[in-house]
Amino acid sequence: MNNSGSTFLGVIAGTALGAAMGILFAPDKGSKTRKKISKEAENTKNKIADQASDIADMVAKKVNITKGTLEEQIESIVADGSHKTEDIMKALEKKLEVLRTKNRHFNKEVKTNGSTKTTATV
């Protein structure tokens, strides 16, 4: 066993031995000592339960805050994506109109120059 494990085991054993000696040499009767131990154990149990409840409440609040923040971020991303999609569509529509205009001018030039080449229309 490593050194820290031995030290820990020694501390545990010493604590148990000290508690046992304190109970054996206590000035009160056994029944009073048992009542004190029982009362202290009940108080400790209640403190631990209260602390566990407080921690659970704190974690629940953090989870709800994080969940709300995450939902807000997702909504923001979706809204940004929607705006960007609209911007892209507008840009593509403008580009398509420019290409159509160029195609019309090109077709007019072909007809006025008397060329017999076929042209593709957009």
Side-chain angles (χ1 to χ4, degrees):
M1 185 180 281
N2 63 21
N3 195 21
S4 63
S6 298
T7 302
F8 180 71
L9 188 59
V11 168
I12 296 294
T15 302
L17 183 61
M21 295 298 284
I23 290 172
L24 289 175
F25 292 106
D28 286 336
K29 289 182 179 181
S31 60
K32 286 185 179 181
T33 302
R34 285 190 296 276
K35 285 181 184 179
K36 284 182 184 179
I37 291 172
S38 176
K39 186 176 179 179
E40 192 60 34
E42 185 69 26
N43 288 340
T44 302
K45 181 185 92 167
N46 290 338
K47 286 179 186 177
I48 290 172
D50 289 343
Q51 289 175 350
S53 177
D54 291 344
I55 290 170
D57 290 343
M58 183 177 65
V59 168
K61 286 178 185 176
K62 290 284 186 182
V63 166
N64 286 335
I65 289 170
T66 303
K67 180 182 174 187
T69 303
L70 182 60
E71 287 173 353
E72 291 169 4
Q73 289 175 351
I74 289 171
E75 287 177 15
S76 175
I77 290 169
V78 169
D80 287 346
S82 177
H83 291 302
K84 289 180 182 179
T85 301
E86 289 175 17
D87 292 344
I88 291 169
M89 288 176 64
K90 287 178 184 178
L92 288 172
E93 287 171 351
K94 287 178 184 178
K95 189 67 172 173
L96 180 60
E97 188 57 39
V98 168
L99 289 172
R100 284 181 178 157
T101 303
K102 286 182 180 180
N103 192 29
R104 280 193 292 267
H105 291 297
F106 179 74
N107 284 336
K108 284 180 185 178
E109 285 179 18
V110 169
K111 287 181 183 179
T112 56
N113 291 335
S115 176
T116 58
K117 293 182 182 177
T118 58
T119 58
T121 59
V122 177

